Every structure is written in structure tokens, then in C-alpha cells.
């Protein structure tokens, strides 16, 4: 085997299982899509500006050097030029601000949500309450990940399924339904974030925040706490199962039955 | 720094030698050197902490440290780098350079200058000692958000006290800088004739006086909430944890401009020197710097877009944050226009300055992306933010500091550093800095949050690369230390005007300058 | 006064001013929110004079509760949801149970979403911020009387009121 292969395998032993993902997901909700589209727009604009500026620098570095005998010019100011390169960037920014403002207004509009799920952040797990149906449960990192992640566990984490992104009780939500997510916390500030669902809000003790999702595609979506909340901040994941409306109501029914059975 | 200075020294008052010289000195050159050495040591202390972080993050799973200690490392790494490495380095450069650039004999308040320095080793000894407490050091992030920071153990009051001491040192230093610049310029040096580095430090000093007291207020509120029954940040008492964030970032945003404006001044000095061409748009550069400083007070909530701010607030702060890109862009364009049609050579200071422009601009682009609130909801508290601020701080502020050291070291010591080794240090540093921080954009976008000691397997590859880069970067800085000591061992050979294109009063002095210089004000035309 | 002295005095004054400014931000935070109407907070002081002026408009009000810091309380709204007529006074209550055998003190803090509609949720009688003394294993009823202001924006159809109950037994100033 070639030395380079061996070297690569030694340095990057995770290559077999891991991905080389470089971009954010476009996601499955109107809010995630609008965030992604805005992200790409600004990215492309900055790439173009970067190419223009760095090409000018590169040209200058190559041709305007003493070793080529280039004599230094004497110019050192120009009000006209200063105005141009103030006004043009300003216009570009206005061009960015318009879609950004539209997107933001849409993302912050939680009106007319069909169901409300209240999320409470704890050190170090989540509690979910479905307000309309009076269903409530805790959601913790699943046992396999929790054991594997300990210092000195001697478990190969690459063999753990959805390592650090799996829970014991997942959130179940119906697709094609505007869901309002209420956020609060029990102790310190946490943040609830599932990248593919778009939006992120802090969960603050004593206060409620809200965001909304409308999941267009059924599937399983994984996220994590996104605000430092103490030692196990990295170990309180989020799992959302998005299912059809009938399946969702079936699941709610089962939760309610279990709750009655528990309270007997 | 060398005994040559002592030989030139006028002995109408006895200067102590040995350790007492350094403890009692009121000389701006001595104090500047102390700040710079202190900063270098702290750079390695903070760097070691970074390597603990990157070693743990090299692979998924926990291999080296428990999560609680990891959080102490991320917290202390930031506090040490910001308050112990970058800020003291800029103050050291100010101390050395401001008097000799404006033709003044020393700083306005030389004894206060000494105290401002000596507070630092005491404050950091206190802060770093908390790592050895039973309950460990602070672990709530350098941003100290309550209620989490109020859960801190015995380290909490010591952390607050050391922050107060650091703030005091900065404020006293800033008063000194402003008094010096406003009152001690050589006759003929009007404000719009000052070297641009002096301008950027003047504006930075105002930012320091405006923002550090606000940090002092915020951490005092934390202290009284924990120990004296106040309820600034607890809902049950009518308080609000988010209010801390507002007060903290009202300080915190001007603080990051404090960390970069002197760097802008350094780059604006070095590019013209090695292009053999005057800085393009000097007036514009002054106004742009002042605009950035003013705007920095109305953008703070862009660090808090996910707290549940009213929509109008989110829109306001999005717009002001975008606006601040304009004067920053103007500066970049002016630097390129300075290079344009110049006659450039590429000694080590110039290499660092050019890399600054490219890499800081990349950091600026990710900053502009972060300003867009709907997208920021996906970036906030991820490695995308970590990538952004490390680009503006490492190949930003730190590169400018290194450029300044290479540029002015021959003046301070009279000894030329080894140019070949300097270039090697530059290339190694630049390659490794990009290897370390560029992949962080990717893992952040892919969904990896900040401040976690362990991560899901899909983030592994880029984390491995970043960790390799970090160790390479750290090792390359040992070369920098070697270059420094190697230079100090040499003979004095440097000219007054070390660099062909260098302009300014400091280049009229011998290299090294006498212990007391410009005791009589020079003539400025 | 020499130029130097002028510089020092103004800079020291500026420093002290900025330190006080950070404390001034505390009340300024609330005043700013009140003046601009950017308010996630409901009225802190109870509304004294109430004019009932019911209109033909109904909104849904949901009630929810949180117990902070895993305190040994059970705290629930008696009504999970009410259809409420705008401009009319409404009554409901929350129940608070002390699950321990010893006497405790508890204080609740309110929060309304959407934040920008919080100012229209006017509480006439509520238990917010007032410390409750509750005996061991006792259950108390905490009444809430409120009115939705007619000025509520037309496109708001749902409001959610959340109370967080804190255990303030060990706090300075508790009886």
C-alpha cells in the first residue's frame, strides 16, 4: 500500500463513515428554505467581491514590484473614487437588505398555528408538552450514546448509530401543518435547533419565546442544544419524527392512553 | 532591552538595574517591551489551552478531558487571548511607538503607565489560579451569560475581580494614550498630519474608555446577583437574563473593534512603506476608522439575534451591522489602491500585512453573512461563528501584531532579524492558520454547535484537519520565539531608516533609539 | 487649568459616566420598551381602572406553566385554553401545590407570546411577582383576572400566557 494511503488512513480514520459536508441543508420547511436561499445569495455576492478585490491585489503583487523595475506612482488620494466605492457597496447592501427583511418578517410570523408544542430546556435534556392534547414527556440522549461518550468508555463511537444525535423519546410532528414551538427553560439558557427545520431561538428561564415550523416532507430530523448550558451542553440532542397527519393523531392517541394508564 | 541602551543613558538620576529596573521603570520603551513579552507569554498560555481543545476535538468521542474541564478551557482560552495576548500586545506597540511617532519624550503619565502594566501579571495569576481550585475555573464561556455563570463555583468572584483589574489597566492605559496624543505632539504635527497608527490608537483609546466601564458594571451586577441578593438577571425578581446580554454586548461589540483598529493602523503603515508609495486616501482612512468606532455602539444585538428580540429590533440591528461593512470595505479598497502602481518588495512585515488584507476580508465576508438575520438563525452558536471571529482575530489582529514586531524590532533593538527565517515563519503560520480555521466554516454550516467537547460522526473529517492545523500553527510559533532570541543575540547593525520606504519621525532616531528620545521636540513640516 | 488637567478630568468623568451608564441601562431597558411599544413584558403594575368595552371579536388564550429549577411544586393552570371576548373581563386561576412537608415561598413571573401583543394582555388581578407563602403539602388557588385590550392588532387570533414559578424560600427579604 502506498505511504500516502497509510498516512491518510492513520490521520483520518473516520473517513470511511464520515461525510465532507460543506454547506447548510436547504431543509424541509418554508423557513429553512428561505434562510438557505438568503445564505447562498450573500455567499455568491461576497465571492464575486472577493474575486474582484483579490485579483486586483494579485495583479498588483505580480506587476507592481520593485524587482521588475516598476517605479512607484505618486497619486495618493481621489475624492471621486472614495465616493464611488462607498456608494456602490451601499447599493449592494440595500439589494441584500430587501430579501433579508422579507424573509425575516415571514420567519417571525407565528400566527394561525394549528398545534403548539412547548419545549422546556433542562440541564441536560428537553421536555415536550403538546398544549392542545395535554401530552408531555422528557427526551434525553439515548443510552447507547450516553455510555459511549464517557471519557474512557472504550466504545468505538463510529459504531454507535446516530452517535450523540439520538434520544429515548422523539418529538412527533405532523407534516404540512403550521406548528408553533414555544421555548422556555427550567434552569439556564438553552437553545432548540434542528437545522433542517430552520430557525433557532433561545430557551430562557422565566420567559417564553416562539418559532414556527411547517414540515413539508416526512422524515427524521436531528438537532442539538445551541446555547452553552453547562457540562453536558453537547449531550442533549433533539430528534423530530415528521409523519402524516393521520399517523400523528394516532401517535397522540397512544400517548394519551399511556398517560391514563400511568395515572391509574 | 539591551545593555547598549544603558550605556547611552544619562546618569543624572540613578536607574536601578536588574529586576528593580523593570518593576520601577517609567520609561515608555521599557514598559512597551514588558507588555510585548507578557503578551507573548500569554499567547502561548492561551495557545496551549487551544491545543487541549483541538486535541480533544481531533476525533469524535471523549479521549482526553471531561466536559466540565473542556468548558473551562474554552472560557479561559478566550479570556487569555483577548485580555492577555491581543490587547496587551497593542498597548505594548502603543507604548513603544506613540511617543516616538509624535516626537514626544514619553507618555503623559509615566508612573500610571507602569501601574497599568503591573496590574496585568497579578490579574492573570489570579484568573489562571482558579483552574487549580477544586471546583475549577470559570466554565460559562468568556461571555459569562447568567444564569449559567451564576452557577459557577469558587472561581466566580476571582474571575470577576480579575476582570475588574484588567478593565482598570485598560482604562488607565487609554487615558494615558489620549492625553499623550492630544497634548504632546511636536509643534507642526496637526491631527491630520499624525501617522495613521496614532489615529487608530487615539480612536481605540476612546472606545476603551466608553466600553470597559460598561463591562465593569455588567460583571458587578453578576457579583451582586450571586452574593448580595440583587435580581438583575432573575425573572422571579423582575429581572431578565437577556438584559445581561444587552449590557455585556454593549461593551462587547466596541471591544472587538478595540481588538482590530490598531491592526488597521499597523497595516496602513506597513503597506505604504513596502509599496514605496503614500497611503491612499489618508483623510478617508481617518473618517472610516471614526465611522467604524461610532457605528460599533449601535450594532451590539447582532450577537443576540436568537434571544427573542422584537422584529423591529432584529431589523434595526441587521441594517446597522450591514452598514458597518461600508467603512471597512473602504479601508480595504484604500489599501489596494496604495499597493496599486507602487514599487513593492516583500519582506516579512509586508507578507503579514498582505495576508492580513486577504484573510481579514474573508473574515469580513463571513461577518456580513452573519448579519443577515434569517441566515444567522442557522449560523448562531455554530462553528461558522467560531470560523468568522478567528479569521478576523488570528490572521487579522495577530498577523498585524507579528507584522508590527518584524517591522519595528530592528528599530527597537538595532538588530536585523533573519529574513529567511521570518519568511519561513510567515508561510508556515499562514498555511496552518487556514488549515485550522477554514474547515470550521464547513462544520458550522453542516450543523455543529459551539462549545461542545464531542460531536456527531459526520463532523469528524474537518475537525481532524482543523486539529492538525492547530498543532502545526502552534509549533510554527516556536519558530517565532527562536527568531526573536536569535535576533537579540546579534550585533547592532541596523540603520536609522531600516526600511527604504519607511516614513515617520521614529526613523529619524538611531536604531536602537536612546533610552530618552525627543527630549527636545523635533520640527515637523 | 492646563490642557493636560483638562484632558484627565474629562476622561475620568467620561469613565465614571460610562460605568453609571451600565447601571442606567437597567431602567432604560424597561423605559425604552414601554416608549417604543417593543415589549415582551406584560404590565408590571396592576391595572386599577378598567373599562369593560366588549366588542364582537374573540381570541383564543392558552395558559401554560413551568416550575423553575425543578422546585418541589406542582403548578398548573385550571384552564388550558379559553375563547375570550376582547374588551371583557375574564377570570381563571392556577393551582400551586407544595410537594414538601415544610413551609415554602414561591414567586411567579409571567411571559406572553406573541411578544408584541403582550401590552394588550392587561392583568387586573394576578399573582405575578408577589411572593406566595405556602404550607407543607398545601394546595393554593392563585386567581387571575384579565382583559384583552380593544387595541389588540386585528391579525392576532391567539395569545399564550406562561407563568414560571420560582422557589424563593431562601431569598433575602423573604418572610
Amino acid at each position: 500500500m502506498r505511504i500516502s494511503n497509510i498516512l491518510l488512513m492513520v490521520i483520518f480514520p473516520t473517513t470511511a463513515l464520515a461525510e465532507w459536508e460543506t454547506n447548510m441543508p436547504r431543509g424541509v420547511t418554508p423557513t429553512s428554505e428561505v434562510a438557505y436561499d438568503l445564505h447562498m445569495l450573500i455567499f455568491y455576492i461576497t465571492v464575486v467581491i472577493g474575486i474582484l478585490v483579490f485579483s486586483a491585489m494579485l495583479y498588483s503583487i505580480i506587476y507592481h514590484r520593485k524587482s521588475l523595475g516598476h517605479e512607484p506612482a505618486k497619486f495618493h488620494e481621489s475624492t471621486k473614487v472614495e465616493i464611488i466605492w462607498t456608494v456602490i457597496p451601499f447599493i449592494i447592501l440595500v439589494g441584500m437588505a430587501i430579501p433579508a427583511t422579507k424573509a425575516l418578517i415571514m420567519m417571525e410570523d407565528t400566527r394561525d398555528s394549528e398545534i403548539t408544542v412547548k419545549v422546556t430546556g433542562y440541564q441536560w435534556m428537553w421536555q415536550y408538552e403538546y398544549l392542545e392534547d395535554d401530552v408531555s414527556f422528557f427526551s434525553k440522549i439515548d443510552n447507547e450514546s450516553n455510555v459511549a461518550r464517557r471519557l474512557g468508555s472504550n466504545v468505538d463511537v463510529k459504531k454507535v448509530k446516530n452517535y450523540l444525535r439520538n434520544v429515548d423519546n422523539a418529538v412527533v410532528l405532523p407534516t404540512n401543518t403550521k406548528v408553533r414551538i414555544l421555548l422556555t427553560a427550567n434552569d439556564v439558557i438553552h437553545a432548540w435547533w434542528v437545522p433542517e427545520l430552520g430557525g433557532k431561538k433561545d430557551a430562557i428561564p422565566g420567559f417564553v419565546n416562539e418559532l414556527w415550523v411547517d414540515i413539508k416532507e416526512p422524515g427524521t430530523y436531528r438537532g442539538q442544544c445551541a446555547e452553552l448550558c453547562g457540562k453536558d451542553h453537547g449531550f442533549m440532542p433533539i430528534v423530530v419524527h415528521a409523519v402524516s397527519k393521520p399517523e400523528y393523531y394516532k401517535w397522540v392517541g397512544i400517548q394519551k392512553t399511556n398517560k391514563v394508564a400511568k395515572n391509574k | 532591552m539591551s545593555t547598549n541602551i544603558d550605556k547611552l543613558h544619562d546618569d543624572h538620576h540613578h536607574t536601578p538595574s536588574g529586576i528593580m529596573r523593570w518593576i520601577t521603570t517609567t520609561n515608555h520603551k521599557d514598559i512597551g517591551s514588558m507588555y510585548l513579552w507578557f503578551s507573548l507569554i500569554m499567547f502561548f498560555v492561551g495557545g496551549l489551552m487551544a491545543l487541549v481543545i483541538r486535541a480533544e476535538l481531533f476525533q469524535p468521542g471523549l479521549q482526553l478531558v471531561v466536559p466540565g474541564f473542556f468548558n473551562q478551557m474554552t472560557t479561559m482560552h478566550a479570556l487569555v487571548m483577548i485580555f492577555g495576548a491581543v490587547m496587551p500586545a497593542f498597548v505594548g506597540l502603543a507604548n513603544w511607538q506613540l511617543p516616538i511617532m509624535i516626537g514626544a519624550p514619553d507618555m503623559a503619565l509615566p508612573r500610571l503607565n507602569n501601574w497599568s502594566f503591573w496590574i496585568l501579571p497579578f490579574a492573570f495569576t489570579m484568573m489562571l489560579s482558579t483552574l487549580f481550585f477544586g471546583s475549577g475555573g470559570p466554565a460559562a464561556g468568556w461571555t459569562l451569560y447568567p444564569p449559567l455563570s451564576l452557577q459557577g463555583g469558587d472561581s466566580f468572584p476571582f474571575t470577576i475581580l480579575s476582570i475588574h483589574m484588567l478593565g482598570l489597566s485598560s482604562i488607565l492605559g487609554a487615558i494615558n494614550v489620549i492625553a499623550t496624543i492630544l497634548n504632546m505632539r511636536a509643534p507642526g504635527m496637526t491631527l491630520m498630519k499624525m501617522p495613521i497608527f496614532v489615529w487608530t490608537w487615539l480612536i481605540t483609546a476612546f472606545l476603551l474608555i466608553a466600553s470597559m466601564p460598561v463591562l465593569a458594571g455588567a460583571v458587578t451586577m453578576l457579583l451582586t446577583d450571586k452574593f448580595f441578593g440583587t435580581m438583575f438577571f432573575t425573572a422571579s425578581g423582575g429581572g431578565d437574563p437577556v438584559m445581561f446580554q444587552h449590557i455585556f454586548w454593549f461593551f462587547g461589540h466596541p471591544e472587538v473593534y478595540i481588538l482590530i483598529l490598531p491592526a488597521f493602523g499597523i497595516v496602513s503603515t506597513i503597506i505604504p512603506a513596502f509599496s514605496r508609495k503614500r497611503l491612499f486616501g489618508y483623510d478617508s482612512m481617518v473618517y472610516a476608522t471614526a465611522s467604524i468606532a461610532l457605528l460599533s455602539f449601535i450594532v451590539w444585538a447582532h450577537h443576540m439575534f436568537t434571544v427573542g428580540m422584537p422584529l423591529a429590533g432584529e431589523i434595526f440591528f441587521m441594517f446597522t451591522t450591514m452598514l458597518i461593512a461600508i467603512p471597512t470595505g473602504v479601508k480595504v479598497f484604500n489599501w489596494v489602491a496604495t499597493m496599486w502602481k507602487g514599487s513593492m518588495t516583500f519582506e516579512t512585515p509586508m507578507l503579514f500585512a498582505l495576508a492580513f488584507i486577504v484573510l481579514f476580508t474573508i473574515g469580513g465576508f463571513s461577518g456580513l453573512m452573519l448579519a443577515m438575520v434569517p441566515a444567522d438563525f442557522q449560523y448562531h452558536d455554530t462553528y461558522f461563528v467560531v470560523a468568522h471571529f478567528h479569521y478576523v482575530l488570528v490572521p487579522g489582529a495577530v498577523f498585524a501584531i507579528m507584522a508590527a514586531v518584524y517591522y519595528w524590532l530592528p528599530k527597537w533593538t538595532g538588530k536585523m532579524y533573519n529574513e529567511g527565517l521570518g519568511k519561513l515563519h510567515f508561510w508556515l503560520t499562514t498555511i496552518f492558520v487556514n488549515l485550522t480555521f477554514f474547515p470550521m466554516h464547513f462544520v458550522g454550516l453542516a450543523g455543529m454547535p459551539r462549545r461542545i467537547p464531542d460531536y456527531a460522526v459526520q463532523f469528524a473529517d474537518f475537525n481532524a484537519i482543523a486539529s492538525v492545523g492547530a498543532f502545526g500553527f502552534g509549533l510554527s510559533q516556536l519558530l517565532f520565539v527562536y527568531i526573536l532570541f536569535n535576533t537579540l543575540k546579534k550585533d547592532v547593525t541596523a540603520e536609522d531608516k531600516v526600511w527604504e520606504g519607511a516614513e515617520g519621525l521614529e526613523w529619524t532616531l538611531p536604531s536602537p533609539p536612546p533610552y530618552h528620545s525627543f527630549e527636545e521636540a523635533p520640527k515637523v513640516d | 487649568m492646563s490642557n493636560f488637567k483638562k484632558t484627565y478630568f474629562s476622561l475620568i468623568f467620561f469613565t465614571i459616566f460610562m460605568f453609571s451608564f451600565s447601571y442606567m441601562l437597567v431602567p432604560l431597558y424597561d423605559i425604552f420598551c414601554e416608549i417604543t411599544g417593543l415589549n415582551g413584558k406584560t404590565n408590571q403594575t396592576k391595572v386599577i381602572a378598567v373599562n369593560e368595552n366588549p366588542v364582537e371579536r374573540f381570541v383564543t388564550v392558552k395558559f401554560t406553566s413551568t416550575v423553575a429549577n425543578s422546585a418541589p411544586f406542582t403548578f398548573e393552570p385550571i384552564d388550558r385554553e379559553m375563547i375570550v371576548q376582547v374588551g371583557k373581563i375574564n377570570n381563571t386561576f392556577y393551582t400551586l401545590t407544595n410537594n414538601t412537608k415544610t413551609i415554602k415561598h414561591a414567586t411567579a413571573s409571567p411571559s406572553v407570546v406573541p411578544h408584541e401583543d403582550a401590552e394588550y394582555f392587561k392583568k387586573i388581578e394576578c399573582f405575578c411577582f408577589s411572593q406566595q407563602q405556602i404550607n407543607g403539602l398545601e394546595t393554593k388557588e392563585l386567581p387571575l383576572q384579565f382583559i384583552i385590550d380593544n387595541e389588540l392588532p386585528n391579525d392576532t387570533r391567539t395569545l399564550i400566557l406562561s407563568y414560571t414559578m420560582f422557589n424563593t424560600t431562601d431569598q433575602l427579604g423573604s418572610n
Side-chain angles (χ1 to χ4, degrees):
Chain A
M1 217 192 242
R2 288 166 57 212
I3 303 266
S4 52
N5 283 0
I6 299 173
L7 221 55
L8 271 169
M9 270 168 52
V10 166
I11 298 173
F12 306 131
T14 56
T15 310
L17 271 177
E19 297 149 33
W20 295 85
E21 190 53 65
T22 57
N23 203 358
M24 77 166 69
R26 190 151 190 269
V28 295
T29 67
T31 47
S32 69
E33 287 168 5
V34 101
Y36 176 85
D37 293 340
L38 183 66
H39 154 74
M40 291 309 289
L41 172 68
I42 312 302
F43 172 66
Y44 288 138
I45 294 175
T46 57
V47 164
V48 169
I49 298 175
I51 290 176
L52 289 172
V53 173
F54 300 149
S55 310
M57 280 182 76
L58 190 61
Y59 182 91
S60 192
I61 288 171
I62 296 174
Y63 292 106
H64 301 151
R65 40 168 75 202
K66 185 173 179 208
S67 57
L68 285 180
H70 192 274
E71 284 296 307
K74 292 275 185 265
F75 65 83
H76 60 266
E77 61 188 353
S78 161
T79 312
K80 189 172 76 165
V81 146
E82 300 284 358
I83 293 178
I84 293 175
W85 63 39
T86 305
V87 170
I88 293 182
F90 183 78
I91 294 173
I92 296 175
L93 288 182
V94 170
M96 293 179 188
I98 295 171
T101 310
K102 284 204 186 124
L104 186 56
I105 293 172
M106 180 264 232
M107 285 181 92
E108 297 287 30
D109 181 0
T110 55
R111 288 170 306 173
D112 302 319
S113 301
E114 267 182 66
I115 61 177
T116 305
V117 179
K118 181 170 158 217
V119 177
T120 306
Y122 282 71
Q123 283 173 313
W124 291 279
M125 60 189 134
W126 299 98
Q127 182 188 29
Y128 298 105
E129 286 171 60
Y130 290 70
L131 290 195
E132 288 78 18
D133 295 301
D134 199 16
V135 169
S136 156
F137 56 88
F138 281 91
S139 178
K140 289 208 300 281
I141 186 172
D142 81 309
N143 200 49
E144 209 194 339
S145 289
N146 203 22
V147 165
R149 59 97 162 188
R150 304 261 164 216
L151 187 62
S153 70
N154 282 321
V155 176
D156 183 0
V157 301
K158 290 169 241 99
K159 297 209 162 69
V160 176
K161 202 153 182 287
N162 291 309
Y163 177 63
L164 296 188
R165 289 203 151 199
N166 218 359
V167 298
D168 51 3
N169 301 314
V171 181
V172 177
L173 291 177
T175 53
N176 294 305
T177 311
K178 189 168 182 181
V179 177
R180 177 196 240 122
I181 311 269
L182 283 188
L183 293 153
T184 187
N186 171 65
D187 34 46
V188 298
I189 302 179
H190 301 262
W192 197 81
W193 183 45
V194 181
E196 285 160 294
L197 302 185
K200 178 190 290 133
K201 276 283 153 68
D202 288 354
I204 302 170
F207 295 89
V208 272
N209 273 332
E210 51 175 2
L211 64 88
W212 67 273
V213 297
D214 183 351
I215 307 174
K216 296 301 185 192
E217 297 247 351
T220 301
Y221 305 107
R222 299 171 192 277
Q224 294 183 241
C225 178
E227 182 61 56
L228 179 63
C229 55
K231 68 178 174 72
D232 282 347
H233 161 60
F235 305 106
M236 41 186 291
I238 298 156
V239 177
V240 175
H241 289 314
V243 299
S244 69
K245 255 205 173 99
E247 280 181 69
Y248 166 73
Y249 282 113
K250 206 165 79 170
W251 174 83
V252 171
I254 295 172
Q255 301 307 306
K256 283 176 144 160
T257 320
N258 289 346
K259 180 175 172 185
V260 170
K262 260 205 308 200
N263 289 343
K264 279 224 172 91
Chain B
M1 269 161 80
S2 73
T3 51
N4 287 11
I5 296 174
D6 286 343
K7 286 198 192 103
L8 295 163
H9 181 63
D10 179 68
D11 60 353
H12 71 75
H13 54 87
H14 300 288
T15 321
S17 56
I19 195 135
M20 285 311 287
R21 166 178 165 191
W22 299 102
I23 294 180
T24 59
T25 180
T26 55
N27 182 289
H28 74 100
K29 301 181 179 79
D30 277 356
I31 293 173
S33 301
M34 288 197 291
Y35 268 108
L36 288 167
W37 282 115
F38 176 79
S39 153
L40 184 65
I41 295 170
M42 297 307 288
F43 183 55
F44 278 97
V45 170
L48 221 63
M49 296 172 178
L51 291 182
V52 170
I53 294 170
R54 286 313 324 169
E56 181 54 70
L57 292 175
F58 177 54
Q59 282 186 310
L62 283 181
Q63 293 86 30
L64 297 169
V65 297
V66 292
F69 184 72
F70 184 88
N71 290 347
Q72 291 174 41
M73 287 290 99
T74 50
T75 304
M76 292 296 251
H77 164 73
L79 287 169
V80 165
M81 286 306 205
I82 293 170
F83 294 106
V86 175
M87 286 170 80
F90 282 138
V91 177
L93 292 171
N95 262 290
W96 252 108
Q97 291 305 120
L98 295 181
I100 60 180
M101 279 174 150
I102 63 174
D106 207 297
M107 300 289 287
L109 292 161
R111 229 174 328 199
L112 191 68
N113 206 12
N114 172 292
W115 294 342
S116 302
F117 170 73
W118 278 108
I119 290 176
L120 296 185
F122 283 103
F124 275 100
T125 304
M126 186 190 302
M127 195 194 282
L128 291 171
S129 72
T130 61
L131 286 170
F132 299 98
F133 288 6
S135 49
W142 84 280
T143 47
L144 298 172
Y145 286 178
L148 180 65
S149 56
L150 297 174
Q151 290 183 343
D154 298 325
S155 64
F156 179 76
F158 293 99
T159 307
I160 304 297
L161 181 57
S162 36
I163 290 176
H164 273 302
M165 290 170 76
L166 296 173
L168 190 65
S169 164
S170 293
I171 292 170
L172 296 176
I175 293 179
N176 224 336
V177 164
I178 294 175
T180 308
I181 296 175
L182 291 185
N183 297 315
M184 292 172 70
R185 278 166 288 130
M189 185 178 283
T190 58
L191 284 175
M192 293 309 265
K193 279 209 189 127
M194 293 197 306
I196 190 90
F197 179 66
V198 181
W199 258 115
T200 56
W201 242 114
L202 179 64
I203 294 174
T204 302
F206 276 108
L207 284 180
L208 275 164
I209 296 186
S211 62
M212 297 296 308
V214 177
L215 175 66
V219 301
T220 308
M221 291 182 214
L222 279 179
L223 194 72
T224 58
D225 259 28
K226 182 146 171 103
F227 294 113
F228 300 112
T230 57
M231 305 228 87
F232 289 109
F233 309 125
T234 317
S236 62
D240 187 349
V242 174
M243 187 174 69
F244 175 84
Q245 297 186 32
H246 281 291
I247 302 175
F248 178 86
W249 285 115
F250 187 84
F251 144 77
H253 198 81
E255 166 66 21
V256 313
Y257 288 100
I258 288 165
L259 296 173
I260 204 65
L261 291 188
F264 288 165
I266 292 166
V267 172
S268 297
T269 306
I270 292 179
I271 299 282
F274 293 91
S275 306
R276 292 161 182 75
K277 197 161 153 282
R278 275 176 65 176
L279 178 68
F280 187 89
Y282 172 93
D283 287 21
S284 221
M285 291 298 248
V286 173
Y287 297 138
T289 310
S291 319
I292 292 172
L294 286 168
L295 280 170
S296 75
F297 284 100
I298 54 172
V299 298
W300 77 86
H302 67 225
H303 299 271
M304 308 163 45
F305 280 139
T306 60
V307 295
M309 241 194 295
L311 178 63
E314 290 177 338
I315 293 177
F316 173 78
F317 285 106
M318 175 165 73
F319 288 172
T320 53
T321 306
M322 290 168 74
L323 258 183
I324 215 166
I326 297 189
T328 316
V330 164
K331 291 181 91 71
V332 174
F333 301 143
N334 277 284
W335 287 322
V336 179
T338 306
M339 293 161 62
W340 192 261
K341 296 224 167 115
S343 177
M344 285 190 273
T345 52
F346 301 95
E347 291 88 329
T348 307
M350 183 61 160
L351 290 174
F352 273 106
L354 289 170
F356 173 100
I357 299 176
V358 174
L359 300 174
F360 173 82
T361 301
I362 291 177
F365 287 150
S366 57
L368 183 60
M369 292 167 79
L370 287 162
M372 316 306 292
V373 183
D376 183 65
F377 288 148
Q378 298 285 52
Y379 309 137
H380 178 78
D381 239 279
T382 68
Y383 262 81
F384 190 78
V385 180
V386 179
H388 158 72
F389 66 69
H390 280 97
Y391 260 85
V392 292
L393 283 174
V394 187
V398 173
F399 272 30
I401 293 169
M402 291 182 174
V405 169
Y406 279 110
Y407 184 60
W408 282 313
L409 190 67
K411 168 58 60 187
W412 301 331
T413 61
K415 305 171 183 195
M416 266 314 285
Y417 64 87
N418 181 313
E419 183 57 49
L421 287 180
K423 288 200 167 86
L424 179 63
H425 171 234
F426 166 74
W427 285 110
L428 287 173
T429 300
T430 301
I431 291 169
F432 284 120
V433 94
N434 282 295
L435 214 60
T436 309
F437 298 113
F438 205 78
M440 293 187 184
H441 293 108
F442 301 143
V443 290
L445 291 177
M448 181 178 171
R450 284 173 75 169
R451 296 167 161 175
I452 56 177
D454 191 6
Y455 48 79
V457 158
Q458 66 256 38
F459 304 128
D461 291 298
F462 285 127
N463 268 290
I465 295 176
S467 292
V468 169
F471 274 85
F473 179 85
L475 285 168
S476 307
Q477 304 324 303
L478 293 175
L479 177 57
F480 182 57
V481 176
Y482 173 78
I483 294 171
L484 287 176
F485 280 103
N486 177 268
T487 309
L488 293 174
K489 281 199 314 231
K490 294 185 179 193
D491 293 325
V492 173
T493 55
E495 317 245 308
D496 294 2
K497 195 168 177 189
V498 177
W499 310 104
E500 185 192 4
E503 298 290 336
L505 282 176
E506 73 265 38
W507 307 106
T508 64
L509 294 170
S511 307
Y515 196 57
H516 299 296
S517 45
F518 290 131
E519 297 206 277
E520 242 185 69
K523 269 245 136 116
V524 173
D525 29 81
Chain C
M1 202 194 278
S2 83
N3 278 338
F4 281 96
K5 285 225 175 89
K6 273 193 225 159
T7 311
Y8 301 142
F9 277 122
S10 31
L11 292 177
I12 290 172
F13 173 77
F14 189 30
T15 306
I16 296 173
F17 173 76
M18 288 314 291
F19 181 77
S20 342
F21 179 73
S22 68
Y23 277 89
M24 295 195 299
L25 281 174
V26 179
L28 275 175
Y29 187 61
D30 283 333
I31 294 173
F32 181 80
C33 293
E34 265 181 62
I35 294 180
T36 58
L38 304 171
N39 203 343
K41 305 185 179 186
T42 56
N43 51 313
Q44 305 279 49
T45 51
K46 299 197 176 55
V47 174
I48 319 265
V50 183
N51 296 323
E52 260 199 298
N53 190 6
V55 291
E56 261 310 296
R57 186 180 163 198
F58 294 84
V59 292
T60 306
V61 179
K62 297 184 203 254
F63 299 93
T64 173
S65 60
T66 306
V67 173
N69 296 306
S70 308
F73 300 141
T74 305
F75 175 57
E76 297 288 346
I78 203 77
D79 292 306
R80 307 187 59 79
E81 195 173 303
M82 282 170 77
I83 309 290
V84 158
Q85 186 172 16
V86 174
K88 191 163 163 299
I89 294 178
N90 299 279
N91 288 287
T92 182
F93 57 92
Y94 278 70
T95 58
L96 173 66
T97 304
N98 178 350
N99 296 324
T100 72
K101 296 202 182 116
T102 50
I103 200 169
K104 291 273 182 275
H105 294 98
T107 313
S109 138
S111 185
V112 169
V113 283
H115 292 315
E116 56 267 25
D117 297 326
E119 58 180 309
Y120 305 106
F121 191 104
K122 294 205 151 51
K123 295 190 241 78
I124 303 156
E125 192 198 323
C126 80
F127 50 94
C128 346
F129 302 116
S130 56
Q131 188 157 254
Q132 308 291 324
Q133 182 174 297
I134 181 164
N135 294 316
L137 301 175
E138 185 191 346
T139 297
K140 277 180 107 154
E141 275 183 11
L142 304 172
L144 170 66
Q145 190 176 70
F146 66 93
I147 185 171
I148 307 290
D149 193 299
N150 296 45
E151 299 293 305
L152 181 75
N154 286 329
D155 49 16
T156 301
R157 291 172 270 282
T158 309
L159 293 166
I160 306 181
L161 171 66
S162 167
Y163 276 104
T164 307
M165 188 61 78
F166 291 84
N167 180 355
T168 49
T169 308
D170 298 317
Q171 244 149 61
L172 293 175
S174 60
N175 325 1

